[in-house]
Amino acid sequence: DNTPTFALDQYTAVVAESTTVGTSILTVFASDRDAGNNSAIVYSLQGSAPTPFAVNSTTGVLTLDSSLDYDASLRSYSLVVLAQDMIGVGSGLLTGNSSINITVTDSNDLPPLFNQSLYTTEVAENVTTGTVVYSFLPRVTDGDT
């Protein structure tokens, strides 16, 4: 009986926080040199910690399973994906693994904040075009510059 082997030791992806739930992020692939049912592979994510990602057990497609928030949660995820074959001859289940590293990027999803709700100024009627008549700096709220 042979252990499933992933095509890559490590998979990487970059995902924007605005990505829609259900979007495919990447596809992992493992193969098994066994024949028949022993060559069938079932994919899963290792561990019990909550993650906003899910892997399809038959296709290996990793999808976004819940919303991301760059400003309030993790900005990167390190996952371990498992590939498990069917019952081997006298040896039980055999499992291969690979890592998935995902970086979450910021989206411009929060408006800037202003210190006042209303700004007023006076401008002379003979001011030349292009003259700065008022300057203020709103506070960015989601890491934009």
Side-chain angles (χ1 to χ4, degrees), residues 9-141:
D9 291 332
Q10 182 176 22
Y11 294 83
T12 59
V14 176
V15 180
E17 72 172 319
S18 59
T19 301
T20 305
V21 171
T23 299
S24 297
I25 306 302
L26 57 82
T27 301
V28 297
F29 177 76
S31 60
D32 190 321
R33 295 183 317 184
D34 295 334
N37 284 341
N38 276 357
S39 67
I41 293 175
V42 176
Y43 298 99
S44 62
L45 293 176
Q46 183 178 32
S48 59
T51 174
F53 303 97
V55 66
N56 182 290
S57 62
T58 55
T59 64
V61 174
L62 185 79
T63 57
L64 183 61
D65 198 41
S66 61
S67 298
L68 297 170
D69 187 345
Y70 180 88
D71 305 298
S73 61
L74 296 176
R75 295 180 180 184
S76 65
Y77 294 85
S78 294
L79 310 173
V80 175
V81 63
L82 304 176
Q84 191 171 52
D85 69 2
M86 302 307 279
I87 296 174
V89 179
S91 61
L93 301 174
L94 295 177
T95 304
N97 66 61
S98 183
S99 63
I100 302 173
N101 293 312
I102 299 170
T103 301
V104 178
T105 58
D106 193 19
S107 297
N108 191 10
D109 61 337
L110 299 173
L113 295 177
F114 295 89
N115 294 328
Q116 300 170 209
S117 60
L118 178 65
Y119 292 85
T120 59
T121 190
E122 293 181 11
V123 179
E125 66 180 56
N126 62 347
V127 69
T128 59
T129 302
T131 300
V132 175
V133 295
Y134 194 87
S135 180
F136 61 92
L137 253 155
R139 288 182 292 137
V140 292
T141 55

